[in-house]
Each structure stands twice: as structure tokens, then as C-alpha cells.
Amino acid sequence: MFALPIGDNAMLRPLEPWHAQEFLAHIDRARPSVDPWIPWATFSTDLTSATAVLQRYADRQAQDGARIYGIWLEGTLVGGVMFTQFDATAGVCEIGCWLEAAGEGRGLVTLACRALITWAFEDRGMSRVEWWVASGNTRSINAARRLGMTRDGVLRQRSSYRGVRHDSEIWSVLSAEWPPAEGAPAGEPAGVAVSSGVKAELDRLMTTFLGAFTNTGGGRPNLRAVHEVFIPQGTIISNVGGEPVVYDLDSFVEPREKILTDGTLTEFSEWEVSERTEVFGTIAHRYSEYRKSGFLDGDWFEGSGRKTTQFVRTPAGWRMNSMAWEDV
């Protein structure tokens, strides 16, 4: 049985039927956070049903189909990744993930998914890896973004969970796009060595900032989060036109909150596709490439650009102090 190291004290290896007891204990811990999004978490409620889930994956793997792998952190199963669909003839597969709280903030899902995607492209010659996710599952959407995936579209009210219809988003990455050509993949260390704790905190700040503007699936943006991740004196600079435009936090938030809530800009989201983060003592710098998409006045648009973000460590933790961006 193989075991692939992924980060500090973490291993990725096959999750097999004989792991059922350990798998069930893990799912019981993870259930509050994964149950709405991972259907088989709903059904793995005792040893018999947990074994059945793992046996189905084992049977499908024997037919060169779906596969499932666990993530062990310091010897404890804390999550996993899987090929929910694997069609070698068509050259298309679908990948998914889940994680309990004890494994969060370490980049384990990103590292594990990168290992599976690399294997699919380089060892099996797949052409396309897909990521299907409910529009309200922001953690999974952020994982797709960190992997450099592109959102292909939204299938409205495609799935039902406990009587509520949900939109489904389809994200994908193609073999020609893998690995990301420029910069380090978002969510992984690059440049000057960064401790995992600091890197996780800076990742969280950026994810919170970008997520503040999301209004996909009928959700409302949370622009208050901009004030939460910045120091009060923070500045944000647009270098999109001929002259830089400098905003304080209030002047930046107000017009964006309006268009994100009055119907002007809908189904909007913005995400990093690559980043490089450097930390020097109590200050840090992050270079990001990003993509964005949505409906502006009813017309679909997609865009991309670059950001540079500065951070300072304060008594309350790391905060952003300035950001500048340009569209490309």
C-alpha cells in the first residue's frame, strides 16, 4: 500500500473497506461541516453503511472507475479526496474532497488534489479534470480556485438536498493548463520560507477578502469583511485606468456594495489562480493573479488581473494594510 507525504506529518493513501471503523469515527467528527455537501456522509451512519461506501469505491476502482483516498494527519484520518467519476476512454474525470475541522488551515486538500490531478494527467493521459460543487459550498469553490480551475458555468437548481434545490457550478482544468504556468499555486508556500501557521493566516485573509464580494447562487455579499481583514487606515488602489485611484475602506466598499445588491452585478465571484507570498518578520507581501466572472447588467463577463497586497502583524493578528490591482 502506498503512502504519499503531503505537508508536515500528513499522508495520502488509499481508503479501503478495512478502514471502515476508522472512516466512520472520522465521519462522525466531520458530519456537521460535510453533511450538507458530501452525500455519502449522510448515509455513513453505522459500520455497515460506512463499509458499503468504501466497498462501492473499491468495486469501481477495480473497473478503472472512481477511487477514494484518505488524508491522515499525525496518524489520524481527517479527510480525503476522490475521483467521483473516472472515464479513461473519454479522458475526463471528476475530483472531490472533504475535511474535518482538525485538518483545516494546512493546505492538505490542495496538496492532495494536486497529487491526484497530476497523476490523472501525467500517468493516465486524461484531458480534463472537473470539479462539481453546490453554489453555496464556498470552501469547495475556494479549493477549486486554489487549484487554478476555471468556472465553466452554473446549472440552476440542478440538485436537491432535504427538499431544497441548489445550483451546481462546474469548474475544470485541462491538461494543457497543468500545472499553472506562472507563479506558485495559490495555497502553497513559495519564495521566502513561510511557516505554515503564518501562511494559513495570510491565505485566510485573502480568501475572506475575495469572498466578501461573492453573490452567486442568490447569496448576499459580506462587504463588512473588508473592514475585518484590513487595518482601519488601510488603502486600496485601482491602477486600471490612466491614473491610479486611491480609496480608503469606506469609499471602496460603498459603490461595490450597491452594485452587488441592487441587481447590477449578479452571480459575481473573484478568485486567486496563483500567488507568491513573502514574509519579513512582522510584514508580508503577496503577489496574486486572479480571475473574476458574473453578470453585469444581464450580460455575462469574465476577467482577470493582478493584485499586490501588503500585510502587517498587529496585536490582533495579521491584517492587510494596502492593496493595489490592475485588470489585464
Side-chain angles (χ1 to χ4, degrees):
M1 180 182 67
F2 81 81
L4 179 68
I6 50 169
D8 296 337
N9 301 315
M11 305 294 289
L12 176 70
R13 59 179 186 255
L15 191 53
E16 301 175 346
W18 64 271
H19 289 116
Q21 187 66 64
E22 186 178 12
F23 175 67
L24 176 62
H26 154 62
I27 289 299
D28 285 341
R29 296 190 301 269
R31 202 178 308 279
S33 57
V34 306
D35 186 32
W37 316 118
I38 306 295
W40 45 255
T42 304
F43 306 128
S44 299
T45 56
D46 55 28
L47 186 58
T48 299
S49 56
T51 302
V53 166
L54 298 183
Q55 187 62 56
R56 282 196 296 272
Y57 273 95
D59 294 342
R60 294 173 70 185
Q61 180 169 343
Q63 300 172 357
D64 198 21
R67 294 158 165 83
I68 190 167
Y69 305 89
I71 297 172
W72 277 262
L73 176 63
E74 298 178 346
T76 299
L77 181 64
V78 296
V81 290
M82 66 276 199
F83 289 111
T84 57
Q85 302 290 335
F86 194 91
D87 189 337
T89 301
V92 178
C93 58
E94 178 190 344
I95 194 171
C97 66
W98 79 97
L99 200 65
E100 67 173 85
E104 294 175 0
R106 299 170 180 262
L108 297 179
V109 161
T110 301
L111 292 169
C113 288
R114 284 181 60 80
L116 264 62
I117 295 171
T118 297
W119 177 82
F121 286 145
E122 296 184 0
D123 289 48
R124 297 304 308 275
M126 304 297 275
S127 298
R128 172 182 169 92
V129 175
E130 296 181 342
W131 187 284
W132 288 63
V133 54
S135 291
N137 190 351
T138 55
R139 287 186 177 180
S140 183
I141 290 171
N142 288 334
R145 290 168 174 163
R146 288 194 297 270
L147 291 165
M149 291 187 167
T150 297
R151 187 172 71 171
D152 295 330
V154 179
L155 302 180
R156 296 180 298 163
Q157 296 190 13
R158 173 180 175 272
S159 62
S160 176
Y161 179 76
R162 295 183 177 176
V164 179
R165 304 297 303 186
H166 295 273
D167 294 349
S168 295
E169 298 187 12
I170 308 171
W171 295 69
S172 70
V173 61
L174 307 180
S175 59
E177 301 167 341
W178 190 262
E182 298 182 18
E188 294 188 23
V192 174
V194 183
S195 73
S196 60
V198 171
K199 182 62 164 55
E201 180 66 9
L202 301 182
D203 289 347
R204 185 192 66 79
L205 291 173
M206 181 59 73
T207 298
T208 300
F209 175 83
L210 295 175
F213 307 93
T214 301
N215 65 355
T216 58
R220 291 186 61 84
N222 178 24
L223 277 298
R224 294 189 306 275
V226 174
H227 290 273
E228 295 170 3
V229 298
F230 268 87
I231 63 173
Q233 305 85 359
T235 58
I236 302 176
I237 302 170
S238 168
N239 203 33
V240 175
E243 291 287 337
V245 179
V246 181
Y247 301 92
D248 62 20
L249 299 185
D250 288 334
S251 63
F252 175 77
V253 165
E254 184 177 353
R256 286 157 182 82
E257 188 168 34
K258 182 178 187 302
I259 65 172
L260 286 165
T261 56
D262 68 3
T264 302
L265 184 57
T266 60
E267 294 300 318
F268 179 78
S269 62
E270 185 176 10
W271 61 97
E272 281 186 309
V273 294
S274 67
E275 56 88 7
R276 185 173 79 250
T277 301
E278 300 174 350
V279 177
F280 303 93
T282 61
I283 59 176
H285 200 130
R286 187 181 186 104
Y287 303 91
S288 307
E289 290 189 309
Y290 65 89
R291 294 176 185 162
K292 58 185 176 181
S293 63
F295 287 95
L296 181 60
D297 292 323
D299 294 325
W300 178 257
F301 77 94
E302 297 181 1
S304 61
R306 308 182 184 97
K307 295 184 189 292
T308 176
T309 308
Q310 291 75 47
F311 306 81
V312 293
R313 191 168 65 198
T314 75
W318 286 92
R319 295 290 185 271
M320 296 175 172
N321 63 284
S322 65
M323 175 183 288
W325 90 91
E326 64 172 358
D327 289 339
V328 296

